[in-house]
Amino acid sequence: MFLHQLFTLAKPLQAIGRIALYRGLIDRGLLHVVEWAFRRREAPILHTASEILTFTLEHDTNAVRHHILKEHDADATTLLAEMIGIQGLTDNTGLASHLSDSIRHLLDIPHESEVSYDPRFGRLG
C-alpha cells in the first residue's frame, strides 16, 4: 500500500522527476513486488498491484517488456503469465478489465515516431 501511495503522490510531479522515480523503483525490483502481489488472492492487494503496474506502464513500458523478456530467458514464470493467470481465476470484472488493458498496452507496437534508443537496453525500444 505504501508504494501505491508513493505513486499517487508522484502524479503532480513534473514528468522528468516522475519518470526518474519510476525508473529508480523498477531498477530496484518494483516489478518483483508486483509479481508477488499477483500471486496473492486478496482483492485489495490485487487491485493495488494492478494500479501500480498501470502507473509503471504509462511511464516506462519498455522497462516492463525488458523485465518480462529477462524472466522468459531465465525460464521463470513471467509477469505476463501471472497477469493472464489472474484473469482466468478472478470473477472480478473490474480487475480482469484492468489487466486486459495492461496486457494490451504491453503488446502494443509503438508507432515508428515513438521508437527511440534506450541506453539501458542497448537497442531500440
Side-chain angles (χ1 to χ4, degrees):
M1 298 299 181
F2 168 75
L3 286 173
H4 184 262
Q5 290 177 351
L6 180 64
F7 278 68
T8 303
L9 290 172
K11 279 183 181 180
L13 292 177
Q14 290 183 353
I16 294 172
R18 201 171 48 242
I19 290 169
L21 172 68
Y22 287 111
R23 284 189 177 166
L25 290 171
I26 290 169
D27 291 343
R28 286 167 181 77
L30 172 70
L31 297 174
H32 293 291
V33 173
V34 171
E35 287 176 36
W36 171 85
F38 281 162
R39 291 184 195 110
R40 309 288 300 188
R41 294 298 171 234
E42 295 89 358
I45 293 175
L46 289 170
H47 284 282
T48 301
S50 179
E51 286 186 39
I52 289 172
L53 181 62
T54 299
F55 289 143
T56 306
L57 285 170
E58 288 174 1
H59 292 87
D60 204 348
T61 305
N62 286 332
V64 179
R65 289 178 182 143
H66 181 68
H67 175 80
I68 291 170
L69 289 174
K70 280 185 3 184
E71 289 179 325
H72 176 68
D73 290 344
D75 289 328
T77 303
T78 65
L79 176 60
L80 183 59
E82 295 283 351
M83 294 165 64
I84 292 168
I86 291 170
Q87 283 190 306
L89 295 174
T90 189
D91 293 333
N92 186 324
T93 56
L95 178 61
S97 174
H98 205 239
L99 288 173
S100 293
D101 290 342
S102 294
I103 292 170
R104 188 176 316 115
H105 192 91
L106 271 172
L107 299 177
D108 237 359
I109 298 172
H111 296 288
E112 199 170 300
S113 63
E114 295 174 15
V115 175
S116 62
Y117 179 76
D118 192 333
R120 292 179 299 154
F121 308 132
R123 58 181 161 71
L124 292 178

